[in-house]
Amino acid sequence: MSSCKPRIFDIRGQSLKLETEADVEPLLDGYDPRLIEELHLGGNTIGVGASRAFAAFIDKTECLRIADLSNIFIGRLISEIPLALAHLCTSLLPKQALTLIDLSDNAFGERSIAPLLPLLTHNRFQTLRLKNNGLGPAAGIQIANALRESAKLSKAEGKVSNLRTVICGQNRLENGSASAWAAAFEEHGTLEEVRMPQNGIWMVGIRELARGLKKNPNLRHLDLQDNTFTDDTDEGLSAVDTWADALSSLPALETLNLSDCVLSHDGEVPSVLQKLAFGSNKRLVDLQLQNNNLDASSVAVLADAISTHLSSLKRLDLQANDADEDDEVYDTLREALTERGGRLLVTEEDEEEEKAEIEAAKEAEGEGEEKAVAPPTKADEAVEKEADELADLMGKVHIQ
């Protein structure tokens, strides 16, 4: 029997209702906390007593890298969540090997985040996932300030920040917290991936984010989907223009999601598109521009640059815009992208086709992994035969 101990503790998606320490003890049986590298608790509901038991387990870990605490307070009272979260965050704080913290899909709001702040300030993790936590601008400011303080502490120690990825979408951050987030991003300067979709951020806040994010030259993935860049007010295109100026400070950018951002209000060609067409981000591979009121003139700007300054682009999403789906300008884009093994998405049929191909590729990969399991060789069979013969012989031995 193998003496190997598991390095991953995973109870994801089991819909367990864990109330007390006694509820948790059987789940931890057989696990040596000193060896655990990944802890996945998501998709269960964890009470105060149960969180205390998990915290005691975490206290004993020595090489914990991943703490997945997403969706762990299903149906819990607002009075329970801070207490349970405090146990877990306090135990995680000193873990120096920690690289990823995922607290998505937990209804924190402003009243529950206090236990989280010391962890964000003092632990030097690389990836933070906070999606769909109902934060609002007030809690958003506190979290951003904690991250900024973390960067300051790293600098005071003469160290470069470890933070590389921040995901904070669907949190109603709004304009009120944008300046704090911009300051945090600027203070770190090390970010490679930032996803902040669906936060109700408008022009003023969008300009602030540009100010902070442009100080991160290694940024590869940026998602601001479903925030608003322009409207019909006097400040109109100011956020679009600010971002157009910021793009040249992000030379490593590979994925840019600006879908549903109202880049164009009245058919004007957004300056962001013009800047991309002039070569501000030549490494761009995936450009998502769904539902931005873009007409044929905007699409033509991209088509004119597709073989020059956008020569790395492999995926372009232009669904739900104002240009006619049959316009010849799409033919230019589709032909260029297809030649390089890429894809243009204009219709729902294009999207469905892409999904089908992805699913087919996953199935083929799964079949390939099954085939990759090598059949036993003749040598293996010979060894197994010898072992069987020896077992038979030993079975005939009788001690008098």
Side-chain angles (χ1 to χ4, degrees), residues 208-365:
E208 287 296 303
L209 291 180
R211 174 179 62 80
L213 286 170
K214 72 179 183 180
K215 300 297 184 179
N216 292 265
N218 295 322
L219 190 66
R220 295 184 294 103
H221 189 127
L222 176 62
D223 180 358
L224 295 174
Q225 182 257 337
D226 201 12
N227 295 289
T228 303
F229 276 59
T230 188
D231 64 5
D232 58 356
T233 63
D234 290 340
E235 60 181 347
L237 302 175
S238 60
V240 179
D241 292 341
T242 300
W243 264 102
D245 293 338
L247 285 175
S248 58
S249 299
L250 304 173
L253 199 61
E254 297 176 358
T255 297
L256 178 60
N257 186 355
L258 298 179
S259 289
D260 307 299
C261 286
V262 198
L263 293 182
S264 177
H265 184 264
D266 196 26
E268 72 280 357
V269 178
S271 53
V272 165
L273 265 60
Q274 295 173 341
K275 202 64 175 282
L276 291 171
F278 290 150
S280 60
N281 304 88
K282 294 185 177 181
R283 297 183 186 179
L284 200 62
V285 175
D286 186 354
L287 178 58
Q288 301 171 45
L289 299 169
Q290 274 193 48
N291 192 30
N292 274 303
N293 304 324
L294 304 178
D295 63 15
S297 58
S298 291
V299 179
V301 168
L302 296 173
D304 289 343
I306 193 65
S307 297
T308 53
H309 296 311
L310 293 173
S311 59
S312 296
L313 198 65
K314 299 289 289 291
R315 185 178 185 275
L316 175 59
D317 191 345
L318 290 169
Q319 294 181 78
N321 279 294
D322 294 346
D324 192 309
E325 294 176 358
D326 297 323
D327 197 300
E328 292 182 359
V329 72
Y330 284 126
D331 296 335
T332 302
L333 287 168
R334 184 172 282 107
E335 181 180 348
L337 290 167
T338 301
E339 283 182 358
R340 65 184 71 156
R343 179 179 295 278
L344 173 67
L345 304 179
V346 179
T347 66
E348 290 183 5
E349 289 76 13
D350 293 332
E351 185 175 18
E352 291 301 319
E353 183 179 333
E354 180 185 51
K355 289 179 180 178
E357 290 187 8
I358 292 173
E359 287 301 317
K362 287 181 179 179
E363 290 179 7
E365 183 179 348

Side-chain angles (χ1 to χ4, degrees), residues 24-325:
V24 173
E25 287 175 3
L27 301 175
L28 299 176
D29 187 41
Y31 290 90
D32 184 346
R34 297 171 300 174
L35 302 178
I36 294 296
E37 297 178 6
E38 299 183 20
L39 182 76
H40 300 275
L41 305 182
N44 301 285
T45 180
I46 299 175
V48 177
S51 69
R52 188 183 300 113
F54 281 123
F57 183 79
I58 293 171
D59 283 338
K60 299 173 186 175
T61 61
E62 298 177 358
C63 49
L64 185 65
R65 296 182 300 103
I66 295 175
D68 172 11
L69 310 180
S70 60
N71 197 24
I72 60 170
F73 296 126
I74 305 166
R76 292 293 168 183
L77 299 175
I78 194 66
S79 58
E80 293 180 276
I81 295 175
L83 298 174
L85 188 62
H87 288 306
L88 295 168
C89 289
T90 300
S91 64
L92 288 171
L93 195 153
K95 300 303 170 182
Q96 296 184 6
L98 197 62
T99 61
L100 184 150
I101 302 171
D102 190 349
L103 286 157
S104 298
D105 301 313
N106 291 307
F108 293 150
E110 184 181 358
R111 291 188 290 176
S112 298
I113 63 163
L116 176 59
L117 302 179
L119 174 63
L120 300 185
T121 302
H122 296 288
N123 189 282
R124 299 295 181 260
F125 54 88
Q126 296 178 12
T127 298
L128 174 63
R129 295 177 182 170
L130 277 172
K131 178 177 70 69
N132 188 32
N133 299 105
L135 297 178
I141 289 172
Q142 294 181 62
I143 288 173
N145 287 344
L147 292 176
R148 185 185 184 191
E149 183 62 23
S150 173
K152 288 182 176 180
L153 292 174
S154 291
K155 290 179 180 179
E157 297 169 2
K159 299 176 181 178
V160 175
S161 165
N162 288 337
L163 192 63
R164 298 294 182 270
T165 299
V166 173
I167 298 172
C168 192
Q170 298 170 251
N171 270 308
R172 299 182 298 104
L173 296 178
E174 302 175 359
N175 286 350
S177 70
S179 294
W181 283 100
F185 294 150
E186 181 175 0
E187 197 71 47
H188 282 279
T190 55
L191 294 167
E192 298 177 1
E193 180 176 354
V194 174
R195 304 191 192 200
M196 302 184 74
Q198 302 176 31
N199 273 309
I201 303 172
W202 285 61
M203 286 83 70
V204 172
I206 291 296
R207 289 201 306 267
E208 287 296 303
L209 291 180
R211 174 179 62 80
L213 286 170
K214 72 179 183 180
K215 300 297 184 179
N216 292 265
N218 295 322
L219 190 66
R220 295 184 294 103
H221 189 127
L222 176 62
D223 180 358
L224 295 174
Q225 182 257 337
D226 201 12
N227 295 289
T228 303
F229 276 59
T230 188
D231 64 5
D232 58 356
T233 63
D234 290 340
E235 60 181 347
L237 302 175
S238 60
V240 179
D241 292 341
T242 300
W243 264 102
D245 293 338
L247 285 175
S248 58
S249 299
L250 304 173
L253 199 61
E254 297 176 358
T255 297
L256 178 60
N257 186 355
L258 298 179
S259 289
D260 307 299
C261 286
V262 198
L263 293 182
S264 177
H265 184 264
D266 196 26
E268 72 280 357
V269 178
S271 53
V272 165
L273 265 60
Q274 295 173 341
K275 202 64 175 282
L276 291 171
F278 290 150
S280 60
N281 304 88
K282 294 185 177 181
R283 297 183 186 179
L284 200 62
V285 175
D286 186 354
L287 178 58
Q288 301 171 45
L289 299 169
Q290 274 193 48
N291 192 30
N292 274 303
N293 304 324
L294 304 178
D295 63 15
S297 58
S298 291
V299 179
V301 168
L302 296 173
D304 289 343
I306 193 65
S307 297
T308 53
H309 296 311
L310 293 173
S311 59
S312 296
L313 198 65
K314 299 289 289 291
R315 185 178 185 275
L316 175 59
D317 191 345
L318 290 169
Q319 294 181 78
N321 279 294
D322 294 346
D324 192 309
E325 294 176 358

Side-chain angles (χ1 to χ4, degrees), residues 3-23:
S3 61
C4 293
K5 293 285 186 178
R7 297 182 178 274
I8 299 175
F9 179 85
D10 191 347
I11 57 170
R12 279 178 290 189
Q14 296 187 28
S15 300
L16 302 175
K17 188 174 183 180
L18 306 174
E19 300 287 354
T20 66
E21 295 177 58
D23 292 335

Side-chain angles (χ1 to χ4, degrees), residues 365-374:
E365 183 179 348
E367 292 174 1
E369 289 177 354
E370 290 179 6
K371 292 178 180 179
V373 178

